[in-house]
Amino acid sequence: MEVTISNIRKEFERFPALNDVSLKIASGELIALLGPSGSGKTTLLRLIAGLDFPTAGQIFFGEEDASHRTVQERNVGFVFQHYALFRHMTVAENIGFGLKVRPSGNRPARTEIRRRVSELLEMVQLSGLEKRYPNQLSGGQRQRVALARAMAIEPRILLLDEPFGALDAKVRKELRRWLREFHDRTGHTTVFVTHDQEEALELADRVVVMSQGKIEQVGSADDVYDRPGSPFVFSFIGESSQLPIEVKSGTVLFQGQPVGILESQEGEGDLFFRPEDVVLVDAPDALFGKVTACRRLAGTRIAEIDIANEGHAPYHVEVEVPLHAPVALGSELRFRPTRWKVFFK
């Protein structure tokens, strides 16, 4: 099911939680809505679900305008962070609940419900646990029951709100892999909300980066990480450092001095770079500062560096260095970005 969000605005007591948001989601696509708290990602998910309605704009399911249709009319599956399972029902009863409460004319026969529940239990790898209650399951198992319950009604769209947020890191990683495989098997159009960058980059076909009620960038994991389209995306996705610079005659100047990198556009702006995109140099035209801390990161180290800023607090940057690099606390380190982005003012 293709979903088209057209010029959506959502206000709460005149506060715009979403401001002129447009997005097209292809049928069968797995989309992540990624952003900090207050960015509007959960509001957008609720509008797609029909749990809230837009102040302005439209939401289409295929060619159908679903903007003001109810949750039931939209036929969406919704999975919450905290499972929302019925504690007094068994696993099988939870999964089949949505089918049992349908109006009589649209309700499957009991044998069909049992068949569907059994099929879903196998699909989510919980066969044999159908008679257990939620409090007899692990967190990861409960979340898979919640997903099976959402799938039981054969939804046109599957929506997940921070689905793994309540789980520990190891279980979260296992479930991410499992959800990707599950999505590839079922082919449902799936939209999930997360503030976990690793989760979004690993799982989604495309990532929608949101900030302050607007979409900052939409693209693949490679797009938003390697080719960020705004200062917000660069600073929000992954680790990064930022320094004010000026470009004159194609040369990047920091505090009036060349730093050994070139840029075609002229003017003042901010230089962004990631810790892994840095090389140590022994040259006068380079960035430099004092090492204030150093920590191990897998097969490398991260050096924290303070760069003097006369009359103000120093600029703080991080660079990734080889394990064998002579990085002592208080020593001076000279370096250059090998990949960078300048956002001009």
Side-chain angles (χ1 to χ4, degrees), residues 51-332:
L51 296 170
D52 278 318
F53 300 102
T55 305
Q58 294 171 289
I59 297 173
F60 292 90
F61 286 7
E63 299 297 320
E64 169 197 335
D65 186 350
S67 308
H68 295 281
R69 293 189 178 277
T70 65
V71 177
Q72 291 77 16
E73 290 171 330
R74 296 186 197 201
N75 189 30
V76 297
F78 210 109
V79 180
F80 298 91
Q81 177 178 345
H82 295 288
Y83 325 123
L85 298 177
F86 299 111
R87 288 178 292 178
H88 65 286
M89 292 185 183
T90 65
V91 167
E93 289 168 341
N94 265 284
I95 294 172
F97 178 78
L99 297 173
K100 289 177 182 177
V101 298
R102 280 182 174 175
S104 57
N106 193 30
R107 188 186 308 147
R110 288 184 179 181
T111 53
E112 173 59 20
I113 292 175
R114 282 198 296 269
R115 185 199 66 78
R116 180 72 176 145
V117 168
S118 178
E119 182 183 88
L120 282 164
L121 280 166
E122 186 175 346
M123 193 178 289
V124 299
Q125 301 168 4
L126 292 176
S127 295
L129 302 183
E130 55 269 21
K131 293 183 180 179
R132 290 194 186 181
Y133 289 88
N135 64 1
Q136 297 174 308
L137 303 176
S138 69
Q141 288 171 329
R142 288 198 292 269
Q143 194 58 290
R144 280 188 274 166
V145 173
L147 183 59
R149 184 178 63 182
M151 295 294 292
I153 63 170
E154 298 181 325
R156 295 192 287 179
I157 300 160
L158 184 61
L159 306 173
L160 304 99
D161 188 8
E162 300 273 8
F164 310 133
L167 304 171
D168 66 55
K170 184 178 180 183
V171 174
R172 206 159 59 230
K173 197 169 185 69
E174 290 171 354
L175 273 187
R176 284 206 301 262
R177 191 180 307 114
W178 173 83
L179 178 61
R180 182 69 236 193
E181 293 170 356
F182 182 85
H183 171 82
D184 291 342
R185 284 203 311 274
T186 62
H188 274 74
T189 303
T190 304
V191 183
F192 75 98
V193 160
T194 183
H195 65 270
D196 186 321
Q197 300 170 26
E198 184 180 334
E199 189 168 283
L201 297 177
E202 180 181 333
L203 258 180
D205 297 318
R206 285 190 302 155
V207 179
V208 179
V209 185
M210 300 186 67
S211 172
Q212 298 181 330
K214 293 185 177 182
I215 292 176
E216 289 275 343
Q217 188 172 349
V218 181
S220 67
D222 289 344
D223 288 333
V224 297
Y225 190 88
D226 295 328
R227 295 174 287 279
S230 70
F232 172 82
V233 176
F234 207 123
S235 58
F236 182 71
I237 304 288
E239 301 295 329
S240 66
S241 295
Q242 174 185 354
L243 294 172
I245 55 90
E246 185 179 9
V247 181
K248 287 184 177 179
S249 303
T251 299
V252 175
L253 306 176
F254 171 67
Q255 297 179 334
Q257 300 299 314
V259 295
I261 59 178
L262 305 176
E263 184 69 33
S264 57
Q265 187 176 334
E266 305 274 306
E268 294 183 350
D270 288 298
L271 174 72
F272 286 79
F273 56 90
R274 302 198 185 280
E276 66 268 26
D277 296 329
V278 165
V279 62
L280 301 183
V281 296
D282 182 14
D285 55 339
L287 293 164
F288 61 91
K290 284 191 176 181
V291 178
T292 58
C294 194
R295 63 183 188 273
R296 179 74 180 252
L297 179 68
T300 61
R301 295 188 193 279
I302 295 292
E304 299 182 29
I305 300 170
D306 278 354
I307 299 176
N309 181 19
E310 191 173 346
H312 301 280
Y315 297 106
H316 186 77
V317 303
E318 295 187 354
V319 301
E320 188 173 309
V321 298
L323 281 178
H324 61 270
V327 179
L329 294 183
S331 65
E332 182 182 272

